[in-house]
């Protein structure tokens, strides 16, 4: 089945679910349209409690079922635009994903930059973070100025196991990462301003219209959704180290406040399709052994 046929099929199934008069030609048309760097290691309260951490998630409501088609259920990803190609290459200056502790060490088995597509991007007044994926897995890209201060392109397999399964998730929602990304900006006086963001990314089925992230600190964010993938981020907040640690100068050490989050997927009538609770903060690279 071609990509267009898959999307049209998913739209027609949605049409039946909505149970009201619709124009199938309009649905079909809509379906077709469609370092070397200096890096401050970002710690979190959750990360300090379980540094290697296995990300835990409890699915409390499920709207999916066998045979449900995901919007990401394709054999090839769409081509990048020229601008997206430049962004992916800038994200991977070594030509592909790299080791999580050595930005100069490329890991060839995770693919090359040419294998990756910019899937969905979250932009705000402080810049952007993009989910960039191949058929096997994904990296996160958060540009900095200068570019050599940008986050490393650390790879995570879809499904957290090689060779990666982009289509293999039950229900309407799959959270693939809840982690942090930092952005650096060098001013005219050469001073460097840095910001750290809490980021949630994942995949959804074709019937999901909205994804909301409850950050457990009073903030809620609607994710950006594109082609069956979603991303959301908020500016992180620093809190004192839970053990009261101090640095060499005697100043209190702070860490990123990163309590577990709740991620909820809603349908076309704002009905709850699936909710993931207690999604724990963790590093990228799950399932790769690096």
């Amino acid at each position: 089945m071609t990509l267009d046929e898959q999307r049209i099929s998913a739209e027609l199934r949605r049409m039946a679910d909505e149970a009201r008069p619709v124009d199938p030609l309009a649905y079909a048309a809509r379906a077709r349209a469609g370092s070397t760097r200096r890096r401050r290691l970002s710690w979190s309260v959750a990360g300090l409690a379980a540094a290697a951490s296995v990300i835990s998630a409890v699915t409390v409501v499920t709207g999916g079922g066998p045979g449900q088609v995901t919007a990401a259920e394709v054999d090839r990803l769409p081509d990048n635009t020229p601008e997206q190609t430049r962004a992916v290459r800038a994200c991977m200056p070594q030509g592909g994903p790299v080791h999580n502790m050595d930005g100069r060490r490329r890991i060839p088995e995770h693919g090359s930059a040419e294998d990756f597509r910019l899937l969905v991007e979250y932009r705000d007044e402080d810049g952007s973070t993009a989910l960039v994926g191949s058929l096997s897995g994904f990296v996160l890209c958060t540009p900095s100025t200068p570019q050599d201060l940008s986050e490393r392109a650390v790879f995570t397999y879809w499904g957290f196991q090689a060779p990666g399964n982009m289509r293999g998730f039950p229900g309407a929602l799959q959270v693939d990462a809840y982690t942090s990304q930092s952005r650096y900006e060098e001013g005219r006086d050469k001073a460097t301003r840095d910001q750290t963001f809490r980021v949630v990314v994942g995949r959804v089925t074709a019937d999901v219209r909205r994804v909301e992230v409850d950050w457990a600190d009073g903030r809620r964010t609607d994710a950006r959704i594109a082609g069956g993938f979603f991303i959301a981020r908020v500016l992180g907040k620093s809190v004192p180290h839970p053990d009261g640690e101090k640095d060499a100068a005697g100043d209190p050490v702070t860490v990123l406040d990163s309590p577990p989050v709740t991620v909820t997927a809603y349908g076309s009538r704002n009905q709850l399709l699936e909710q993931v609770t207690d999604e724990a903060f963790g590093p990228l690279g799950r399932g790769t052994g690096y």
Side-chain angles (χ1 to χ4, degrees):
M1 185 180 287
T2 68
L3 175 58
D4 281 349
E5 288 170 340
Q6 287 177 325
R7 287 179 174 170
I8 292 168
S9 176
E11 294 290 345
L12 291 175
R13 275 192 291 274
R14 182 185 310 135
M15 208 170 63
D17 291 339
E18 290 178 357
R20 61 175 183 266
V22 293
D23 180 357
L25 293 178
Y27 268 72
R30 188 174 68 188
R32 290 194 184 95
S35 1
T36 309
R37 59 192 285 277
R38 300 185 303 276
R39 184 175 186 243
R40 185 184 71 183
L41 186 61
S42 294
W43 294 97
S44 73
V45 175
L48 288 165
S53 53
V54 176
I55 299 175
S56 63
V58 180
T59 301
V60 297
V61 181
T62 302
Q68 190 170 30
V69 177
T70 73
E73 192 167 337
V74 295
D75 293 325
R76 65 181 296 274
L77 293 168
D79 292 333
N80 283 323
T81 65
E83 182 181 3
Q84 289 172 334
T85 296
R86 289 191 292 271
V88 170
R89 288 175 178 167
C91 177
M92 303 183 192
Q94 302 301 318
V98 296
H99 192 273
N100 61 355
M101 297 298 288
D102 185 354
R104 294 172 294 180
R105 178 185 168 191
R106 183 184 162 193
I107 304 175
E109 57 264 38
H110 293 164
S112 65
E114 288 70 27
D115 299 322
F116 288 80
R117 305 291 183 266
L118 199 156
L119 302 174
V120 62
E121 184 176 31
Y122 193 99
R123 288 183 173 272
D124 55 32
E125 62 184 8
D126 295 310
S128 67
T129 297
L131 174 63
V132 174
S134 67
L135 292 175
S136 297
F138 65 92
V139 302
L140 295 181
C141 298
T142 303
S144 286
T145 305
Q147 185 63 35
D148 64 358
L149 292 179
S150 295
E151 286 276 7
R152 298 186 178 103
V154 177
F155 181 87
T156 302
Y157 283 112
W158 301 119
F160 317 118
Q161 184 176 351
N165 185 354
M166 189 174 66
R167 298 179 292 179
F169 66 96
L173 171 71
Q174 170 66 45
V175 178
D176 290 298
Y178 165 35
T179 190
S180 67
Q181 290 277 283
S182 293
R183 171 183 176 269
Y184 298 85
E185 183 177 17
E186 191 175 81
R188 293 181 180 178
D189 58 357
K190 301 301 181 181
T192 300
R193 169 177 177 255
D194 65 275
Q195 298 170 303
T196 300
F197 300 88
R198 297 161 66 193
V199 182
V200 173
V201 301
R203 293 165 282 165
V204 292
T205 53
D207 52 349
V208 172
R209 292 293 189 275
R210 184 168 70 90
V211 173
E212 181 187 72
V213 180
D214 183 339
W215 300 98
D217 62 2
R219 293 180 290 178
R220 293 173 182 261
T221 301
D222 278 351
R224 306 286 192 270
I225 303 176
F229 303 92
F230 73 87
I231 182 170
R233 79 175 194 176
V234 292
L235 187 62
K237 300 176 181 179
S238 295
V239 295
H241 192 288
D243 295 333
E245 291 189 7
K246 296 185 178 181
D247 61 20
D251 297 321
V253 172
T254 60
V255 295
L256 177 66
D257 186 25
S258 52
V261 298
T262 297
V263 186
T264 309
Y266 296 93
S268 59
R269 287 170 283 183
N270 209 37
Q271 76 275 26
L272 191 152
L273 297 180
E274 186 169 350
Q275 186 175 74
V276 175
T277 65
D278 295 324
E279 182 72 25
F281 183 95
L284 294 172
R286 183 179 175 189
T288 64
Y290 290 95

